[in-house]
Amino acid sequence: MIIDGLEVAVTKKRIKRMNMRIKEPDGRVVISAPYGTSDFMIKSFVRSKRNWLDKNIKRIVERAEAHPAPKTKAEKEAARRELKARIAERLPQIEDITGLYSNGWTVRDMHTRWGSCNTKTHHLNFSLMLASRSDEELDYVIVHELVHTVVPNHGADFYAMMDRFMPNWKSIRRGLHRT
Ligand SMILES: [Zn+2]
């Protein structure tokens, strides 16, 4: 369906409300809508979100160009190997600096977050997307997840620790989320 010059792919599903996603790396707009949703409703939905869409399509396309994701299986494996070596080198150093220790870690092919921490087991996960990011950005994600070993949420204590260990973390995070 083309709405004001913007192509959107619509799938009807057994869901309650419409939702919309922008796909990487090409910025394709995909909408899931409940059965029975009219074209008029879909058009209104897209129009009401048009500014947000334009901004985020641009951001996603720019990000994909600046940090191309590995495409083939071989490329993915190489990226994973390289990232694992970087983490194996940097994580222990950062653990010693911060005094916060993980209990094992895994690189996972996750696309919606840079890292995660199991706050019970202190096992960390790192996104394969980090393979194309700078050491500084990788360090930021490592510090962030290590802080979660002692502060599970993103409350004031969490940010106080981030400020202490990495005073410029805000600008690094901004870069990670922008491109
Ligand atoms: Zn977090």
Side-chain angles (χ1 to χ4, degrees), residues 70 76-88 91 104-111 113-116 123-132 138 142:
K76 243 183 197 180
E77 271 162 21
R80 184 185 292 269
R81 248 195 326 273
E82 230 170 273
L83 177 60
K84 276 183 157 176
R86 285 167 72 204
I87 295 170
L91 177 65
W105 54 274
T106 313
V107 168
R108 294 176 59 191
D109 197 0
M110 44 185 190
H111 291 271
R113 48 210 304 210
W114 294 105
S116 66
H123 185 98
L124 311 184
N125 289 309
F126 297 102
S127 166
L128 186 54
M129 296 188 295
L130 284 164
S132 64
L138 176 57
I142 292 174

Side-chain angles (χ1 to χ4, degrees), residues 13-135:
K13 290 181 179 166
R14 277 183 70 139
I15 50 176
K16 287 235 160 61
R17 344 181 76 231
M18 253 190 281
N19 66 70
M20 181 166 66
R21 272 177 308 152
I22 305 170
K23 293 282 203 179
E24 292 186 30
D26 50 359
R28 207 155 40 89
V29 178
V30 179
I31 290 178
S32 302
Y35 289 114
T37 308
S38 66
D39 286 2
F40 165 75
M41 284 154 82
I42 294 166
K43 279 180 184 156
S44 303
F45 182 67
V46 169
R47 285 185 176 129
S48 73
K49 306 242 187 289
R50 189 55 192 264
N51 284 341
W52 180 90
L53 269 173
D54 286 343
K55 210 168 72 203
N56 284 282
I57 291 168
K58 187 163 171 275
R59 188 178 58 85
I60 280 171
V61 170
E62 281 173 359
R63 165 183 287 187
E65 281 167 4
H67 306 280
K71 282 175 197 74
T72 65
K73 201 166 173 240
E75 274 175 13
K76 243 183 197 180
E77 271 162 21
R80 184 185 292 269
R81 248 195 326 273
E82 230 170 273
L83 177 60
K84 276 183 157 176
R86 285 167 72 204
I87 295 170
E89 191 194 335
R90 308 181 84 80
L91 177 65
Q93 296 179 48
I94 296 172
E95 286 177 331
D96 286 341
I97 292 165
T98 57
L100 303 172
Y101 292 88
S102 69
N103 190 15
W105 54 274
T106 313
V107 168
R108 294 176 59 191
D109 197 0
M110 44 185 190
H111 291 271
T112 53
R113 48 210 304 210
W114 294 105
S116 66
C117 171
N118 184 317
T119 52
K120 287 206 179 74
T121 63
H122 297 180
H123 185 98
L124 311 184
N125 289 309
F126 297 102
S127 166
L128 186 54
M129 296 188 295
L130 284 164
S132 64
R133 311 302 307 211
S134 69
D135 284 342

Side-chain angles (χ1 to χ4, degrees), residues 154-172:
H154 293 136
D157 292 348
F158 180 88
Y159 292 117
M161 275 194 140
M162 288 305 297
D163 286 340
R164 179 143 57 90
F165 295 133
M166 210 173 203
N168 61 337
W169 68 270
K170 277 189 190 127
S171 73
I172 302 170

